[in-house]
Amino acid sequence: MNNNFKHIISQKSMYIAILSACLIAVAAFAVLSVLITHDSRKNNEEFARKTFVRKYETVENEFRNIEDYQYLLRALIQKDGLKNYKEYSSVLNEMNRKRNLLPYSWYSYDNPVTGASESNSPLSEVFRKKEKGENYIKIKNSGPGHFSDFLITRKDSIYWVSYDSLALPNKNRLYYGSAVSLDDLHQYFINIDKTPNNYAYVFTKEGICITHPDQKYLGKNIFDFTDITPKDTITSTTKSGYTEGSTISEYLKLEVTRFIKPLKTDNFEGYAVVNHVNFLIDESVNKTKTYTVYIFLAALFLIVTVFILFHRATQLAYLEKEKIQTEKNVLLVENEKMHREEALNQLQQLKNNINPHFLFNSLNSLYMLIGINKENAQRFTMNLSKIYRYLIVPPKENIVPVAQEIKFIQQYMELLKSRFDEELVFDMVIFNPKSLEKKIPYLSLQMVVENAIKHNVATIDHPLNIMITVEEEGITVKNTWQPKTDESVQGAKFGIDYLNQVYDYFKKNSVNISVDGEYFICFLPLLE
């Protein structure tokens, strides 16, 4: 039955080990997945910031190209006035077409001689008094440049117009500048930067969108079709100089990381927005997780397979070893029975010697007492008859309750007081009353007290003090150490040998004997 129980425990342990391995693998995968996600997102966030910086620099560079063109146009007009402005405008426009620059130049002024207006662009009509207030939006700019900007709508197209003016000698003004179609600007930015995982757009300080990958948003207020708030454009409090946050793209309808940074030139002031698509990050993380799952499952399958094969091999060896151990246990049990029977026989022989031994010692004491004090001898004889009842039927197990032994030793000390009056001092202290319910070897206290009397001098001038203390773990018998030197005592080790035999039988520590200064101490451990 014991072997079957061990076998069941072994099977159960195997299943617990396999389950533990699976749980550890799952927990490890969960932790690794979190770490991979965290590191991947961190790396992709850094990548998103780098692509944002490149995208922003591209947009800023193109806006500065437009501004450089405006500076060139102004320098030419301010130098020659009306002399060559028509040729300058024509040459610059031709150069723009070859260099793929978007703005084209225009001019407009009223000829005082003919009274007619000369212009190379219908957009110049906005500067006539009768056209002022028409459908256009002025773009505010606090930069140091000389050009002013506004948006104007013509034939379902929106134009970004930058203009300056020159006072003529005849008190007229020559208006000149550059104009860019937002549709052309939209197409231009699509062609110059085709990064697949992000897109950019620009809006003015007033929120008017002037570039966007979706044409329907051109000229619209970004606060109307996005969730951008004026707070998102406050970058002065950030160390990086831009704001960053997650949102849903109005263009792709996907989660994006949005970066907003001021875009400033001498003649333009607004904001550039770069949206980085997050699903690319998630796809990269998910692929890594998938590969990790495959690796974990393969490793877990290999571990479990090896574990099962190892368990089957060890189980066969275990069964063989269990068979051998069973045969050995049978032999050990038989051997233990023989030793216990032998120990019981030895204890029985010792116990059979206790009663005659105690009786002979008592009769010897009575013989000595008759010659000294007949009255004490008579009282000794009466006490002897009372306590001898305790000795008539010895216990079979060789152990008795502590309370029973305490009562007997008190009667025995009264017997000794009949012989030794002032020569013997006896004290009893019970520190732990619960210890009275435990057990000690039969006649153990009597044997220790008897040895103390046999081996020590007891006189009126030097009385023999014996103290018995009942503690939690055992009983201490302490007597003054004043050994006899003029005679040898026979049978000194009989009682101690008996006690050691009893304690050994019950697998308990043996009697502890020591001399501490003026006292001889014997400690008897208690039995449950």
Side-chain angles (χ1 to χ4, degrees):
M1 180 178 178
N2 189 29
N3 293 336
N4 292 335
F5 178 72
K6 288 182 179 179
H7 182 67
I8 293 172
I9 291 297
S10 178
Q11 291 283 355
K12 184 178 180 181
S13 300
M14 182 191 72
Y15 295 135
I16 292 175
I18 293 176
L19 180 60
S20 300
C22 294
L23 292 177
I24 292 173
V26 171
F29 169 72
V31 173
L32 184 60
S33 178
V34 171
L35 294 177
I36 289 174
T37 302
H38 178 267
D39 290 342
S40 297
R41 283 193 171 275
K42 185 176 180 181
N43 293 334
N44 281 282
E45 285 172 1
E46 290 297 325
F47 175 74
R49 292 188 184 99
K50 291 179 180 178
T51 56
F52 152 67
V53 172
R54 289 196 296 268
K55 194 84 169 182
Y56 175 84
E57 290 175 350
T58 300
V59 173
E60 184 183 39
N61 184 59
E62 293 303 324
F63 269 71
R64 293 199 181 277
N65 286 338
I66 296 174
E67 187 174 80
D68 290 341
Y69 170 79
Q70 293 171 344
Y71 280 143
L72 176 60
L73 177 63
R74 185 175 189 277
L76 294 173
I77 295 297
Q78 294 290 332
K79 178 182 178 182
D80 292 339
L82 289 174
K83 294 179 180 180
N84 300 306
Y85 65 90
K86 295 181 180 180
E87 290 78 6
Y88 292 155
S89 178
S90 177
V91 171
L92 288 176
N93 287 336
E94 184 64 25
M95 290 175 58
N96 286 340
R97 282 190 289 270
K98 292 181 179 181
R99 296 169 56 195
N100 292 325
L101 285 176
L102 293 174
Y104 65 89
S105 64
W106 57 269
Y107 61 88
S108 176
Y109 84 102
D110 295 330
N111 192 326
V113 177
T114 62
S117 296
E118 294 187 13
S119 173
N120 68 340
S121 173
L123 296 176
S124 60
E125 294 177 0
V126 73
F127 295 100
R128 297 180 182 179
K129 292 182 180 180
K130 63 179 181 179
E131 300 292 345
K132 286 187 178 181
E134 200 178 50
N135 186 18
Y136 78 99
I137 302 173
K138 186 172 180 59
I139 300 176
K140 296 180 181 179
N141 175 31
S142 59
H146 299 279
F147 283 81
S148 299
D149 300 280
F150 61 87
L151 296 177
I152 186 170
T153 303
R154 282 289 187 273
K155 297 180 179 180
D156 297 330
S157 294
I158 303 176
Y159 295 87
W160 172 23
V161 180
S162 296
Y163 71 93
D164 190 15
S165 63
L166 176 66
L168 300 176
N170 53 15
K171 297 183 181 181
N172 285 337
R173 278 196 170 272
L174 171 66
Y175 290 93
Y176 63 93
S178 63
V180 179
S181 169
L182 296 190
D183 293 333
D184 294 340
L185 191 66
H186 154 78
Q187 191 63 41
Y188 179 72
F189 274 109
I190 289 178
N191 292 331
I192 64 170
D193 190 0
K194 298 181 179 180
T195 307
N197 56 346
N198 60 42
Y199 68 93
Y201 58 91
V202 178
F203 63 91
T204 66
K205 290 181 65 176
E206 298 78 20
I208 304 302
C209 183
I210 61 174
T211 69
H212 198 283
D214 192 342
Q215 287 182 281
K216 69 180 181 180
Y217 294 128
L218 298 177
K220 302 296 179 64
N221 194 308
I222 57 99
F223 299 118
D224 295 335
F225 64 86
T226 69
D227 59 354
I228 296 177
T229 63
K231 182 180 179 182
D232 297 326
T233 63
I234 301 175
T235 60
S236 58
T237 58
T238 62
K239 294 182 179 179
S240 57
Y242 58 84
T243 60
E244 177 182 350
S246 295
T247 186
I248 301 299
S249 168
E250 76 290 339
Y251 175 46
L252 302 175
K253 307 303 180 184
L254 297 173
E255 182 183 0
V256 296
T257 300
R258 181 174 62 202
F259 302 89
I260 302 177
K261 186 175 181 178
L263 179 63
K264 293 183 179 181
T265 65
D266 290 348
N267 297 302
F268 178 80
E269 188 172 3
Y271 297 90
V273 181
V274 177
N275 287 338
H276 190 89
V277 183
N278 287 342
F279 80 86
L280 296 174
I281 299 176
D282 296 332
E283 283 185 355
S284 176
V285 172
N286 291 334
K287 286 182 179 179
T288 305
K289 285 183 179 180
T290 302
Y291 297 148
T292 305
V293 169
Y294 292 155
I295 294 173
F296 260 100
L297 291 177
L300 183 61
F301 175 77
L302 182 61
I303 291 172
V304 172
T305 302
V306 172
F307 190 86
I308 292 174
L309 293 176
F310 175 77
H311 175 75
R312 291 188 63 182
T314 53
Q315 188 177 31
L316 294 175
Y318 170 77
L319 293 175
E320 184 67 23
K321 184 178 179 181
E322 190 178 47
K323 182 179 179 182
I324 297 173
Q325 187 64 36
T326 301
E327 296 175 355
K328 186 185 292 186
N329 289 339
V330 172
L331 295 176
L332 290 175
V333 170
E334 294 295 331
N335 191 30
E336 182 69 19
K337 287 182 179 179
M338 292 175 63
H339 281 295
R340 289 179 67 88
E341 289 176 358
E342 182 180 356
L344 285 173
N345 291 332
Q346 291 178 356
L347 288 174
Q348 189 62 35
Q349 291 176 2
L350 288 171
K351 186 170 67 175
N352 292 336
N353 291 330
I354 288 176
N355 288 345
H357 178 76
F358 178 75
L359 179 60
F360 293 153
N361 288 338
S362 299
L363 292 177
N364 185 44
S365 299
L366 179 60
Y367 172 77
M368 296 175 64
L369 190 61
I370 290 174
I372 298 173
N373 191 327
K374 292 183 179 181
E375 293 182 359
N376 286 345
Q378 292 176 353
R379 188 164 56 253
F380 181 89
T381 304
M382 293 299 296
N383 288 335
L384 179 61
S385 65
K386 293 179 181 178
I387 67 173
Y388 205 79
R389 296 173 185 173
Y390 185 67
L391 306 175
I392 294 176
V393 184
K396 293 181 180 181
E397 297 181 354
N398 301 292
I399 57 174
V400 293
V402 173
Q404 191 172 333
E405 272 294 293
I406 292 296
K407 181 179 179 181
F408 172 76
I409 196 62
Q410 289 174 335
Q411 293 176 344
Y412 178 69
M413 293 305 298
E414 289 180 6
L415 181 67
L416 293 179
K417 291 290 285 184
S418 300
R419 175 184 173 187
F420 304 100
D421 187 9
E422 299 179 5
E423 295 92 341
L424 183 64
V425 178
F426 176 74
D427 291 315
M428 172 78 68
V429 180
I430 300 176
F431 285 123
N432 192 346
K434 291 185 178 180
S435 297
L436 298 177
E437 300 174 3
K438 298 181 180 180
K439 296 183 179 181
I440 57 173
Y442 175 60
L443 293 181
S444 56
L445 295 178
Q446 185 270 334
M447 291 180 186
V448 177
V449 170
E450 182 183 15
N451 281 339
I453 295 173
K454 281 184 179 182
H455 294 283
N456 293 278
V457 176
T459 64
I460 296 176
D461 295 332
H462 298 88
L464 180 63
N465 294 317
I466 300 175
M467 176 179 288
I468 298 178
T469 305
V470 180
E471 301 169 352
E472 183 178 359
E473 299 295 331
I475 298 177
T476 301
V477 181
K478 182 178 180 182
N479 63 269
T480 50
W481 179 239
Q482 41 199 39
K484 296 178 180 181
T485 58
D486 56 345
E487 62 180 7
S488 60
V489 180
Q490 300 295 328
K493 293 186 178 180
F494 172 77
I496 300 300
D497 289 341
Y498 165 75
L499 295 177
N500 285 332
Q501 289 273 7
V502 175
Y503 281 115
D504 288 343
Y505 178 78
F506 286 99
K507 308 298 182 183
K508 192 73 175 179
N509 295 333
S510 300
V511 178
N512 187 2
I513 297 176
S514 62
V515 177
D516 183 11
E518 298 179 355
Y519 292 94
F520 180 88
I521 302 172
C522 179
F523 180 78
L524 301 173
L526 297 181
L527 303 173
E528 297 296 335

